Amino acid sequence: MKVVSRSRDTLTYYSELFQIPEVLLADANPSISKVLPTGIEVHIPGFVTVKESREESTLNDIALRFQLPMDALLLLNQGEKEMVSVPVRIISPLLAIEKPYEYQSFLDDLEILSLHYPFIQVESFGKSVLGKELLEVRVGRGEKVIHYNGSFHANEWITSAVLMKWLNDMLLAVTNDCMLCGVDCLSFYENVTISLVPMVNPDGVDLVLKGESAAEGKLDVVKMNNGNPAFYAWKANIRGVDLNNQYPANWEIEKRRKIPKAPAPRDFPGEVFLSEPEALAMKELAERRNFERVIALHTQGKEFYWGYEGHEPEHSASMAREFEERSGYRAVRYVDSHAGYKDWFIQEFKQPGFTIELGKGINPLPLSHLPGIYEDSVKILMAGLYM
């Protein structure tokens, strides 16, 4: 929602008028001062407007019916109009994520959230093989940066939906100053920056959900898929490289022992490490942001992996216990696997890293599993903020 400032209006006054934390107003309007010039547009996050007929109701009637301060109506309705704009607080999720979560769905949902919660920051940090923007969403203003990602693997696209639902729920909690999983989200907003990359592998996700047309005629994905026109088992990027086997953490071991020796639906680690633009962009993002910890969402197994070759710090163990207790997922310290994003992060930064295997079944997990998956995983996502 936008309003037009009047003489002597301030962000502090708007915070009191709309009961929105002032820090959110400041971040939604970064280019303006606390004392507002007259006649500029100001974003008020967490609100929408509805229209009421001026002929049928007086402003006083509308204020009483919607339980609003009169000045909130006056601010939105400067000048004579037939219809009255009424500010209405958003108190329920804006996104319906129970759908095949292709790249365009992600973009559409991100646009909705950016419009109504303009204090979030969205930044492109690279492009996929087919030129799709790789997008990072940041929420908060703290120096400690905690990173979450999803859809490294194409047929695990449900992880993107989980992260977007969590983002929507967090934004609701922050703007309404309420709790999520017993956690005060506004406190974390001021002390932590959350970095989310909900869809690392957009080309692959679209291939799984839309079929051969997603390759835009630029790659012979059917040939890589052994002649099968159905791509439900595809994990790799559009060039047939497994992005979670692309990192310089004993990559040579994976290269030597993986059965695919050429581009394939899964497991091929590439001819060299970091050959794929998506993998390289994720590496450079971690180096630029200096993440405090990394939580990567995958499917399936209802377990998570938290160590790598003894490089993990001591406090990773207590975090793993907390995740296990909260979610019921099984904590696994070491697995015979290398070259993953979590592996490289732990090795490179000596900070906690986790690969969370959401749900249980056969990939891609059906949408009917999403409510249960989210109920379990949101406890880990929130615990990742304060451990």
Side-chain angles (χ1 to χ4, degrees):
M1 183 179 79
K2 295 179 182 179
V3 299
V4 177
S5 61
R6 306 160 303 188
S7 176
R8 294 188 295 278
D9 280 352
T10 65
L11 290 183
T12 301
Y13 177 63
Y14 288 171
S15 174
E16 296 168 353
L17 187 64
F18 294 105
Q19 294 297 293
I20 288 288
E22 188 172 347
V23 64
L24 302 183
L25 289 169
D27 289 351
N29 301 277
S31 61
I32 64 177
S33 59
K34 193 171 182 179
V35 178
L36 305 171
T38 302
I40 66 167
E41 284 192 333
V42 180
H43 293 275
I44 309 294
F47 277 81
V48 294
T49 58
V50 298
K51 298 293 185 180
E52 290 281 316
S53 172
R54 189 180 289 270
E55 293 180 357
E56 296 177 3
S57 305
T58 66
L59 286 183
N60 190 57
D61 292 337
I62 295 170
L64 288 172
R65 181 149 43 91
F66 285 89
Q67 297 185 330
L68 291 168
M70 176 61 73
D71 200 36
L73 289 179
L74 295 175
L75 179 60
L76 259 73
N77 295 276
Q78 301 176 50
E80 290 295 325
K81 296 179 181 177
E82 292 182 2
M83 302 297 291
V84 178
S85 294
V86 182
V88 177
R89 182 180 288 274
I90 299 169
I91 58 172
S92 58
L94 293 169
L95 304 186
I97 51 109
E98 295 83 0
K99 57 193 173 188
Y101 214 75
E102 61 190 50
Y103 182 63
Q104 190 60 52
S105 298
F106 165 54
L107 294 182
D108 292 344
D109 284 351
L110 196 53
E111 183 177 3
I112 290 170
L113 294 183
S114 297
L115 176 65
H116 294 93
Y117 303 102
F119 53 85
I120 69 174
Q121 301 174 69
V122 179
E123 181 177 331
S124 172
F125 64 96
K127 291 188 177 183
S128 69
V129 170
L130 294 179
K132 295 183 175 73
E133 300 285 350
L134 304 177
L135 297 174
E136 179 201 28
V137 185
R138 293 194 304 280
V139 183
R141 48 167 49 191
E143 291 186 7
K144 180 190 294 186
V145 184
I146 300 173
H147 174 75
Y148 301 79
N149 63 62
S151 290
F152 251 99
H153 287 146
N155 66 350
E156 299 172 9
W157 51 263
I158 203 167
T159 57
S160 297
V162 166
L163 284 177
M164 290 298 287
K165 176 170 174 52
W166 182 51
L167 175 60
N168 195 171
D169 287 351
M170 278 195 299
L171 297 175
L172 268 175
V174 167
T175 51
N176 290 288
D177 198 11
C178 59
M179 312 282 272
L180 181 59
C181 292
V183 176
D184 177 5
C185 292
L186 185 59
S187 173
F188 282 101
Y189 183 91
E190 299 192 71
N191 294 289
V192 171
T193 294
I194 301 169
S195 160
L196 298 102
V197 178
M199 192 172 290
V200 175
N201 184 7
D203 297 344
V205 167
D206 279 358
L207 181 64
V208 169
L209 292 173
K210 299 167 70 175
E212 184 182 4
S213 64
E216 301 175 4
K218 297 176 181 177
L219 298 111
D220 193 345
V221 289
V222 174
K223 181 179 179 181
M224 283 188 269
N225 203 34
N226 299 312
N228 188 347
F231 295 91
Y232 57 86
W234 190 282
K235 295 178 70 174
N237 76 345
I238 202 75
R239 284 204 292 231
V241 177
D242 190 321
L243 297 177
N244 208 39
N245 275 321
Q246 267 272 284
Y247 291 91
N250 288 313
W251 175 88
E252 296 80 5
I253 294 175
E254 296 299 289
K255 175 65 175 174
R256 184 172 62 250
R257 71 183 180 179
K258 287 296 186 184
I259 293 175
K261 301 302 179 185
R266 57 177 293 165
D267 296 337
F268 178 58
E271 295 297 343
V272 296
F273 60 76
L274 296 174
S275 62
E276 302 309 291
E278 302 94 340
L280 181 59
M282 288 293 290
K283 171 184 177 289
E284 291 174 345
L285 182 67
E287 292 170 340
R288 188 163 69 251
R289 297 277 184 252
N290 193 26
F291 298 139
E292 183 89 5
R293 67 190 62 121
V294 158
I295 298 172
L297 301 190
H298 289 255
T299 60
Q300 44 80 29
K302 286 194 171 184
E303 60 186 17
F304 60 89
Y305 316 125
W306 60 274
Y308 184 68
E309 300 283 288
H311 296 296
E312 65 279 1
E314 288 185 9
H315 63 285
S316 291
S318 61
M319 293 183 67
R321 285 194 296 272
E322 183 77 11
F323 289 1
E324 191 172 47
E325 290 173 5
R326 286 181 172 271
S327 67
Y329 281 27
R330 185 170 69 101
V332 179
R333 186 167 190 173
Y334 298 129
V335 292
D336 185 19
S337 178
H338 305 280
Y341 187 69
K342 176 270 292 179
D343 306 331
W344 166 79
F345 176 79
I346 293 175
Q347 174 186 275
E348 185 73 14
F349 293 91
K350 307 298 188 293
Q351 294 279 33
F354 301 86
T355 296
I356 316 293
E357 299 285 356
L358 304 183
K360 209 159 192 178
I362 298 174
N363 288 332
L365 295 174
L367 278 171
S368 60
H369 289 199
L370 182 55
I373 288 172
Y374 183 73
E375 184 178 350
D376 292 337
S377 60
V378 70
K379 300 166 188 174
I380 294 176
L381 300 176
M382 293 303 297
L385 296 177
Y386 62 83
M387 287 298 299

